[in-house]
Every structure is written in structure tokens, then in C-alpha cells.
Amino acid sequence: MAAIHVLNGPNLNLLGTREPGIYGSLTLGDVERMVRERAAGSGTGIVFRQSNHEGELVSWIHEAGAAGAGIVLNAGAYTHTSVALRDAIAGAGALCVEVHLSNVHAREHFRHTSLIAPVCVGVICGFGAQSYLLGLDALLPILAARKT
Ligand code: CA2
């Protein structure tokens, strides 16, 4: 089974340290543990990364695409601004699920637009760390079907 790359964008390294009312009290390390536990036994390897740099995220998307891996992507604020990430997902031909901890549609207007959603297979938001697990659950059967 192909691997799943869980990629996290800017400021997500601050999770659990501030704004618990919006993002909860779990750290990104906690989220990683939860993802690894959920994937255990599925035969899927997990690559879990975070970067505050757009270009680094672009390179990681290329890497995932070249490896035939699926992507669970919380692009953070780049979701709403980045043509580069959108082009990377489309260009890499990677199967990508967009996830968010918060319900972006219940927040400021500028968070209602996603530049990456049109090139993703789906979008999950508003379930805290569970959004990542739902993203994983959505990708696993699609990746398994691709293999056979
Ligand atoms: O809800 C999400 O997962 C977001 O992707 C989080 C981004 C935000 O820009 C998106 O609109 C929605 C922000 C991540 C910043 O996380 C922080 C965590 C703790 C303290 C400060 C920032």
C-alpha cells in the first residue's frame, strides 16, 4: 500500500500553546501520534511533516506525488492564498485531502475561500484533530483500490 504524507503548513507548530478555544489543546505531536495509531495495521506508512515555508511544502507535495503517496494536507493560512500549492497538487497528480482543525466556514470571510479545494478529492474541517483521522479514513480505501 502506498504511503500517506500528512503535511502541515504555517504556524501549526504552535498548536496546543495558544488559541485553545479555536484549535484545541492538543499539540501537533499529539496529532501525529493519533494519526500513526489510526494507520497502524493498515499497512500504510505515514510521513508526518510541518513547515512554515511555502516552497518547502511545494517540494514535499512533489515528493509525495512522485512516490505515488496520498496526502492529508492542512495548509494553514496558505489554503486561502497559495496558487503555488494549488499548482503543486495539480502538477504532482497526488491524491490529496484538505483538512482543517477549525470550521473555516464559521470564521472570518477570508477563510471561506480555499484555492486548493478544487484540486483535492475532498475537504474536511471543524472536527479538531479528528479531521486528520477522517482524512486518513477517506484516503485509505481509495489508495487500496488504486493498488489493485
Ligand atoms: O483550522 C485549521 O486547521 C487552519 O488551517 C489553521 C490555520 C488557519 O490559518 C486556517 O484558516 C485554518 C492557522 C494555524 C495556526 O495555528 C495556531 C495554533 C495555535 C496558536 C496560533 C496559531
Side-chain angles (χ1 to χ4, degrees):
M1 167 93 87
I4 292 182
H5 293 207
V6 183
L7 305 181
N8 295 279
N11 298 309
L12 285 158
N13 54 309
L14 298 177
L15 266 191
T17 64
R18 286 175 207 168
E19 304 202 56
I22 299 175
Y23 299 118
S25 52
L26 296 178
T27 65
L28 198 59
D30 294 328
V31 176
E32 178 174 0
R33 249 186 311 282
M34 290 167 67
V35 165
R36 290 191 185 283
E37 273 170 27
R38 177 67 67 105
S42 69
T44 306
I46 296 291
V47 173
F48 195 100
R49 289 167 159 170
Q50 186 273 332
S51 178
N52 293 321
H53 303 280
E54 191 175 20
E56 191 161 37
L57 291 163
V58 166
S59 296
W60 289 346
I61 290 166
H62 292 171
E63 197 183 303
I71 301 174
V72 173
L73 176 61
N74 185 349
Y78 288 145
T79 303
H80 319 297
T81 63
S82 179
V83 177
L85 289 188
R86 178 196 179 113
D87 288 350
I89 297 163
L95 194 67
C96 183
V97 175
E98 175 185 339
V99 301
H100 299 285
L101 297 151
S102 64
N103 179 357
V104 287
H105 300 289
R107 300 183 63 194
E108 303 95 327
H109 195 259
F110 65 84
R111 295 186 205 275
H112 299 181
T113 299
S114 168
L115 296 192
I116 63 174
V119 293
C120 289
V121 280
V123 180
I124 297 163
C125 72
F127 299 98
Q130 286 287 331
S131 292
Y132 286 75
L133 304 185
L134 293 167
L136 195 66
D137 289 348
L139 275 186
L140 283 171
I142 304 175
L143 285 173
R146 273 193 170 183
K147 191 188 156 200
T148 54

